[in-house]
Amino acid sequence: MNKKLVLLISLIAVTLLLSGCTEFDQPISDQSEGFWNEFIVWPLVSTIKFFKGLLGTYGFGIIAVTIIIRLVMLPLMIKQTKSSKRMQEVQPELVKLKEQYKSKDAVTQQKYQKEMMALFQEKGVNPMAGCLPVLIQMPVLIGFYHAISRMNNTPEIDLGSFLIFPLAEPSIILAVVAGLMQFTVLRTGPAMDNPQMRIMMYFMPVMIIGFGIVLPSALTLYWVIGNIISLIQNLVIYRPWEKKDVQQPVKMKAGGAKK
């Protein structure tokens, strides 16, 4: 199932990217044709321009649009975080089920799958909940990249700067900030309790820094603001400090048992 999901997400990402990659260095306007331009890129550009008119700079416009996008997605993100939290809570019971049905024959594995789904239903866990926000964010992120790139190639638009960062140019400093923010988000989220997800704590920040070094700072700014919102969400919902308090006595008991 996981391999199928990864393949599905990858195919969607490639399809969306290819749908607009031939025009990423072209000017953008309300006359641009095509589904990708009319329903993804231009709405993002026009919304950024609207908030630029209200707030004075494209930097603040990008921040405003990022906050709006994340607020719209917040119910899904909250559902994802809660589902991940419940998934971690049922891990001991899943381990017991694996031990009980460790035989690899088809009948045993069918029983295991049935028991596992019953457990998920009883505990209110949806293993697929984490995929939906990713699928929804993907066209937005790629669309944001195209919007910024095409705004940068439109003579009538000057992205200007945000603080000390020219938004049309890459910034190593902002890229590192985005990577560190991503690392902090993952450290305070459910990935900490899942050995299979811990590799993301190192892979994702490095990937974002790598992209941030070559992509316009405007897109990196989107990552920074988005990760700040994700961090606040993790602190409110996942409460990582409580997780540490719960784990500490377990470690002490384990140490005592060894003695």
Side-chain angles (χ1 to χ4, degrees):
M1 180 64 72
N2 290 335
K3 291 181 179 179
K4 292 181 180 179
L5 287 174
V6 171
L7 179 59
L8 175 61
I9 293 173
S10 300
L11 288 174
I12 292 174
V14 171
T15 302
L16 290 172
L17 184 60
L18 291 177
S19 65
C21 67
T22 57
E23 298 180 328
F24 78 95
D25 58 348
Q26 300 298 314
I28 185 70
S29 71
D30 57 355
Q31 302 299 316
S32 300
E33 298 179 349
F35 177 87
W36 182 255
N37 292 326
E38 294 179 21
F39 295 99
I40 302 292
V41 180
W42 178 247
L44 284 170
V45 171
S46 57
T47 307
I48 292 172
K49 291 175 68 176
F50 172 77
F51 281 103
K52 186 265 183 184
L54 288 179
L55 303 174
T57 68
Y58 279 109
F60 285 120
I62 291 170
I63 291 174
V65 172
T66 302
I67 292 173
I68 290 172
I69 291 173
R70 296 306 294 262
L71 287 178
V72 169
M73 295 182 59
L74 190 58
L76 286 174
M77 302 300 291
I78 290 175
K79 186 175 181 179
Q80 175 197 21
T81 304
K82 287 182 176 179
S83 180
S84 298
K85 186 177 180 180
R86 293 193 196 102
M87 181 67 79
Q88 298 310 315
E89 291 171 353
V90 301
Q91 283 301 312
E93 296 178 65
L94 285 176
V95 171
K96 291 179 182 179
L97 281 179
K98 287 182 180 179
E99 283 295 318
Q100 183 178 352
Y101 299 102
K102 57 184 177 181
S103 177
K104 298 300 181 180
D105 64 275
V107 175
T108 303
Q109 286 304 301
Q110 285 179 355
K111 290 180 180 179
Y112 168 69
Q113 292 292 331
K114 185 177 179 180
E115 290 286 340
M116 182 176 63
M117 296 308 297
L119 176 63
F120 286 160
Q121 187 174 7
E122 178 187 349
K123 301 296 183 179
V125 175
N126 182 6
M128 305 292 291
C131 301
L132 189 57
V134 174
L135 291 174
I136 293 177
Q137 275 197 88
M138 203 165 291
V140 175
L141 182 59
I142 299 173
F144 225 94
Y145 165 67
H146 283 279
I148 298 303
S149 297
R150 297 186 67 176
M151 288 172 72
N152 198 28
N153 284 279
T154 302
E156 297 81 9
I157 298 177
D158 180 10
L159 290 176
S161 300
F162 178 74
L163 300 177
I164 62 172
F165 308 109
L167 293 174
E169 302 173 8
S171 168
I172 295 178
I173 296 175
L174 204 57
V176 171
V177 171
L180 291 175
M181 286 300 305
Q182 181 66 61
F183 181 76
T184 305
V185 168
L186 293 172
R187 285 280 297 179
T188 57
M192 276 296 293
D193 300 321
N194 190 334
Q196 295 177 341
M197 292 178 64
R198 282 179 190 168
I199 190 172
M200 292 176 60
M201 287 192 297
Y202 306 101
F203 175 73
M204 287 293 292
V206 171
M207 184 182 71
I208 286 180
I209 292 174
F211 282 134
I213 290 174
V214 297
L215 294 177
S217 296
L219 185 61
T220 315
L221 181 62
Y222 169 82
W223 281 331
V224 171
I225 301 303
N227 280 330
I228 290 174
I229 297 173
S230 295
L231 176 60
I232 295 172
Q233 173 187 307
N234 281 353
L235 294 177
V236 172
I237 298 176
Y238 199 68
R239 301 176 183 269
W241 60 88
E242 292 182 359
K243 192 68 176 177
K244 291 179 181 178
D245 291 341
V246 172
Q247 287 179 343
Q248 186 64 29
V250 176
K251 291 181 179 179
M252 290 177 64
K253 287 180 181 180
K258 289 181 180 179
K259 289 180 182 179

